[in-house]
Structures are given as C-alpha cells and as structure tokens.
Amino acid sequence: MPKGYWIARVDVRDAERYKDYVATAKPAFERFGAVFLARGGPVSHLEGEARSRNVVIEFPSVQAALDCYNSAEYQAAAKIRQEVADADMLVVEGV
C-alpha cells in the first residue's frame, strides 16, 4: 500500500497563535502515524507562487492522511490555522 503525504504551503500571519495550531494538531498527527519530512526551513523558490513555510508529512497510507485531516482533533487545529495563516494543502499518493 503506497504511503500518503500531506504537502502544505503556508504563510503565517500570527506566529504566536500558530504555536497554538501546532500544539492542537499534535494529537492527530500522533494518532495517524505522521512523520514530518520537512517543516519550514529555508526555501529555494524556482517557479510559481511561493509561501514562506513548506511542510511535507508522511503517513502510512493515503487513507491515514485523509483520516488525519478529517479527524475531530485536526479540524479543531485547522480552525486555529485558518485564523492565523493562509495555506494551500493537499494529499498525494507515494510511489
């Protein structure tokens, strides 16, 4: 079964409140087996529109990635994120 990956591109507007998002999302990530492969850090912008924070999270499967996003735990965190950041998020299937 292929792994699933969240790819999130984020511009944080309120860094202090974003910490609340991270803390609130942690239980969902732990529950669904998330492994952070990239979390912020320097970016080399090559093409298209860039965002300041880029995150890649690996899950055991696409279903686990989707279940994490749709979980009550993560949706509580998403509400915080949506108030303090602009984001593009998607799930992709690994090879």
Side-chain angles (χ1 to χ4, degrees):
M1 171 176 2
K3 293 186 178 187
Y5 296 85
W6 279 21
I7 299 176
R9 301 169 52 247
V10 184
D11 285 328
V12 177
R13 295 187 309 272
D14 183 338
E16 284 304 308
R17 290 245 10 251
Y18 194 79
K19 292 176 185 176
D20 295 335
Y21 158 73
V22 172
T24 304
K26 185 177 179 180
F29 292 142
E30 290 174 347
R31 179 175 160 207
F32 291 97
V35 176
F36 284 79
L37 302 179
R39 185 187 300 179
V43 173
S44 297
H45 178 216
L46 303 175
E47 294 185 32
E49 294 184 34
R51 293 211 183 250
S52 60
R53 183 173 179 81
N54 298 278
V55 181
V56 179
I57 308 171
E58 180 181 81
F59 289 86
S61 66
V62 169
Q63 191 60 55
L66 294 170
D67 290 346
C68 182
Y69 182 82
N70 291 312
S71 69
E73 300 97 327
Y74 185 76
Q75 285 303 303
K79 287 181 183 177
I80 297 168
R81 179 183 43 77
Q82 291 161 354
E83 292 174 5
V84 302
D86 299 311
D88 301 313
M89 297 181 61
L90 51 99
V91 171
V92 298
E93 182 178 286
V95 293

